[in-house]
Amino acid sequence: MNVLEIKDIYKSFGDLNVLNGISLNVAEGEVVAVIGPSGGGKSTLLRCATTLETIDKGEISIGGVTFSSHPDKKTLQDIRNRFGLVFQNFNLFPHFSVRRNITEALIHVHKKTKEEADKICDDLLLKMGMSDKADEYPCNLSGGQQQRVSIARALATNPEILFFDEPTSALDPELTAGVLKVIRELAEEKMTMVIVTHEMSFARDVADRIIFMDGGVIIEEGNAYDLITSPKNERTKAFLAGY
């Protein structure tokens, strides 16, 4: 069963064509990494899939709910209830504690009781190795800790699929390892994920499949290990030669 289906989508910003007929399916339990040069369309693809940008043409389906350009409010909410999104720069509320960052949407959007939300929060913080940080504020956390809180918040609503937009690009190498460890564990638990990343070794070792994008199209896709170690397309080879 496919959790995500993207069918022939296009996206332009003015005269700039950013996505040019992208189609992509992600099966339940599959981890797909999206790689490619800056400006190749990776983050725009993710933003369109998560309704942060509207598509010009084509359609997207998440968990069986389909939308195209300008979905109605009910469809939009239904779609947003089905995925979790982890941003590059954490996007935590600075004036909320870690606990409130995780429980706010659970209580006010998903109508959980405070006790239910706190239990979900505590379980996730334990999973992230951050049980002692529930009452801290983001400014008191390292970048790696903030990103783990962001992952916990994305997991709190029990999404069908998780999207990551360059989850380690704002971190120094020492802090990157902890975040990648959490994502590896999620992959082992068969969490369905789409990860835009520049960490090639991580993509090779954790993803089931890799998509290489450039110029708003998918240039090459295939088994993660095979694509990184033995790419077939010359553009893919040139890109990976820089790593």
Side-chain angles (χ1 to χ4, degrees):
M1 173 188 163
N2 291 328
V3 177
L4 174 67
E5 295 182 355
I6 296 174
K7 297 178 182 177
D8 198 30
I9 66 167
Y10 290 78
K11 177 64 180 178
S12 299
F13 296 101
D15 295 331
L16 179 64
N17 298 322
V18 182
L19 299 178
N20 297 292
I22 296 282
S23 294
L24 168 66
N25 292 335
V26 179
E28 184 176 0
E30 187 178 24
V31 180
V32 175
V34 184
I35 65 171
S38 297
K42 309 183 302 297
S43 289
T44 300
L45 174 64
L46 206 69
R47 290 179 65 82
C48 287
T50 57
T51 71
L52 293 174
E53 298 285 356
T54 56
I55 57 177
D56 299 330
K57 182 182 172 187
E59 64 179 34
I60 299 172
S61 175
I62 297 179
V65 179
T66 301
F67 65 99
S68 52
S69 59
H70 306 292
D72 62 61
K73 191 173 180 180
K74 183 179 181 300
T75 301
L76 202 56
Q77 190 57 55
D78 196 0
I79 286 288
R80 288 175 176 171
N81 287 340
R82 292 171 184 270
F83 67 80
L85 174 59
V86 179
F87 295 92
Q88 182 175 335
N89 293 310
F90 326 135
N91 280 32
L92 298 175
F93 295 109
H95 56 298
F96 285 0
S97 66
V98 165
R99 180 177 299 281
R100 191 171 172 193
N101 263 285
I102 294 170
T103 60
E104 186 76 0
L106 287 173
I107 294 169
H108 296 288
V109 178
H110 297 273
K111 306 305 179 186
K112 300 286 187 184
T113 65
K114 185 179 185 304
E115 290 73 21
E116 289 171 331
D118 282 341
K119 175 68 165 62
I120 292 168
C121 175
D122 290 340
D123 289 347
L124 285 168
L125 289 179
L126 179 63
K127 186 184 186 76
M128 299 295 146
M130 294 185 64
S131 292
D132 60 336
K133 303 295 184 185
D135 297 322
E136 296 284 356
Y137 285 81
C139 63
N140 296 323
L141 303 178
S142 70
Q145 289 171 329
Q146 289 187 61
Q147 192 60 296
R148 278 183 277 161
V149 173
S150 180
I151 295 171
R153 181 177 62 182
L155 286 168
T157 57
N158 195 27
E160 296 180 44
I161 184 170
L162 268 187
F163 294 96
F164 293 84
D165 187 9
E166 304 261 12
T168 60
S169 65
L171 305 177
D172 63 43
E174 191 173 355
L175 298 176
T176 293
V179 173
L180 295 184
K181 178 176 180 289
V182 169
I183 300 174
R184 285 176 193 271
E185 290 169 354
L186 292 173
E188 290 168 3
E189 295 168 9
K190 295 300 180 184
M191 181 75 209
T192 309
M193 295 185 281
V194 176
I195 308 168
V196 171
T197 184
H198 62 280
E199 299 276 351
M200 295 305 133
S201 59
F202 169 73
R204 177 196 65 205
D205 296 341
V206 174
D208 299 299
R209 186 159 47 105
I210 290 178
I211 307 293
F212 173 65
M213 285 183 66
D214 192 17
V217 298
I218 294 174
I219 301 291
E220 184 173 353
E221 66 176 293
N223 173 274
Y225 184 84
D226 292 344
L227 190 142
I228 294 293
T229 57
S230 305
K232 294 179 172 59
N233 187 279
E234 291 303 318
R235 179 67 188 94
T236 316
K237 290 177 183 178
F239 173 77
L240 291 172
Y243 284 86

